[in-house]
Amino acid sequence: KTSLKLRIVQFLSTGFYSGYFPFAPGTAGSAVAVIFLGAIYFYFPVLISFEGRIAVAAVITLLAIISAD
């Protein structure tokens, strides 16, 4: 039985389980990323600026590093 922490990390690190899609998992992951970033920019339009994009990229990178540990 896997722990809740491990399941959460697996859920996030596989792009909401899109990495397990049986056909073209990379394409499914890209689609999830586009939807996710589209939602971020829709709800937080200030992030469309260059500085906002850098901030979003930094936060996503930090979350990826943490989930990989």
Side-chain angles (χ1 to χ4, degrees):
K1 185 175 179 179
T2 57
S3 69
L4 178 61
K5 180 182 175 184
L6 181 60
R7 286 188 290 173
I8 291 171
V9 167
Q10 186 178 23
F11 177 74
L12 294 174
S13 64
T14 59
F16 310 113
Y17 291 126
S18 65
Y20 292 118
F21 197 71
F23 178 75
T27 303
S30 296
V32 168
V34 166
I35 292 168
F36 181 72
L37 288 177
I40 287 174
Y41 292 144
F42 179 77
Y43 290 109
F44 304 102
V46 71
L47 296 178
I48 295 176
S49 69
F50 178 74
E51 294 83 5
R53 285 188 236 160
I54 296 297
V56 169
V59 168
I60 291 173
T61 300
L62 288 173
L63 289 174
I65 290 170
I66 291 168
S67 71
D69 188 21

